[in-house]
Amino acid sequence: MTIAAVLLGALSTHVTNYLMERSRNRYQLLTRWDDKKIDAYGDYVDAAKARIAMAVRLYEAREGLAESERSEQELRKDLSEASRVWGGAFERVMLLGGDDAIEEGHELNTLVSEIAWQATGKISGNLDDWRRRNRAAFRKINAFHEAARQDLGIQGSVTGERHPERDLLLPPSRQTSDDC
């Protein structure tokens, strides 16, 4: 009887350890992909914002809205490099992201590209068009955030009642009376 109790205890310990280890491995696998998704989503948003920032520098220099110590050619190279990084970052989103995040990313890509194209003169537009494109891009960044958070199972929202939409931050000297 004692031997049977020892064997039963050993068997139940083995089964319990096996199941716990299996559960731990599944959890680690899930969190490993979540960590990679978080990095991919964050890197993509950073890269999109960097591309926009480089486009802003070029646009402002080309339009005479701001002085730059860098030549237009250097600013174009900066934008080109930011575009390369942005493209690579979106590839990681395509590999790891949820369907809704990928779709929001595609829509954001269109807007960010339009900003870059206006900055380089590939498409025309005035300052109002420029601001409209930038506002739309930052709204789409928030939509991408929402989709990424949902994919990751993160509670809460970055938009809505508790987080009202915010406008572009413009220095007072560049705001027009209709911007206030």
Side-chain angles (χ1 to χ4, degrees):
M1 192 67 162
T2 306
I3 293 176
V6 170
L7 287 176
L8 183 59
L11 181 61
S12 65
T13 300
H14 175 72
V15 169
T16 301
N17 286 340
Y18 170 78
L19 292 174
M20 287 178 57
E21 186 68 21
R22 186 171 144 192
S23 176
R24 188 176 64 83
N25 286 339
R26 282 185 182 174
Y27 176 76
Q28 284 179 335
L29 183 61
L30 287 174
T31 57
R32 183 182 85 197
W33 287 114
D34 281 352
D35 288 346
K36 292 194 181 303
K37 279 184 178 185
I38 289 170
D39 290 343
Y41 290 154
D43 291 348
Y44 171 66
V45 170
D46 286 346
K49 287 181 177 181
R51 188 174 188 215
I52 292 169
M54 292 302 110
V56 166
R57 287 181 179 175
L58 176 59
Y59 180 80
E60 288 179 343
R62 284 186 63 242
E63 296 295 317
L65 298 172
E67 292 184 27
S68 175
E69 294 180 11
R70 300 177 61 76
S71 69
E72 183 176 329
Q73 187 64 25
E74 291 171 319
L75 293 172
R76 285 178 180 271
K77 284 181 184 178
D78 293 344
L79 178 56
S80 179
E81 176 60 18
S83 297
R84 185 191 66 74
V85 171
W86 163 77
F90 187 64
E91 288 301 317
R92 286 185 293 286
V93 169
M94 292 284 294
L95 289 170
L96 297 169
D99 291 343
D100 291 342
I102 290 170
E103 284 308 308
E104 292 294 343
H106 280 302
E107 292 177 22
L108 176 58
N109 290 348
T110 299
L111 295 168
V112 173
S113 293
E114 288 177 5
I115 290 168
W117 295 335
Q118 186 174 350
T120 59
K122 289 181 182 174
I123 60 174
S124 62
N126 59 28
L127 185 58
D128 288 335
D129 296 326
W130 174 254
R131 288 181 176 161
R132 181 184 49 76
R133 286 183 171 113
N134 277 272
R135 284 181 176 107
F138 282 96
R139 280 193 301 273
K140 189 52 68 176
I141 286 171
N142 284 340
F144 179 82
H145 282 137
E146 289 290 344
R149 290 170 62 92
Q150 186 174 37
D151 181 42
L152 294 165
I154 298 171
Q155 294 181 358
S157 177
V158 296
T159 60
E161 229 176 83
R162 294 194 63 191
H163 304 285
E165 188 171 311
R166 289 168 172 75
D167 200 5
L168 297 176
L169 297 176
L170 299 172
S173 62
R174 289 196 0 223
Q175 287 184 336
T176 61
S177 60
D178 61 318
D179 287 337
C180 299

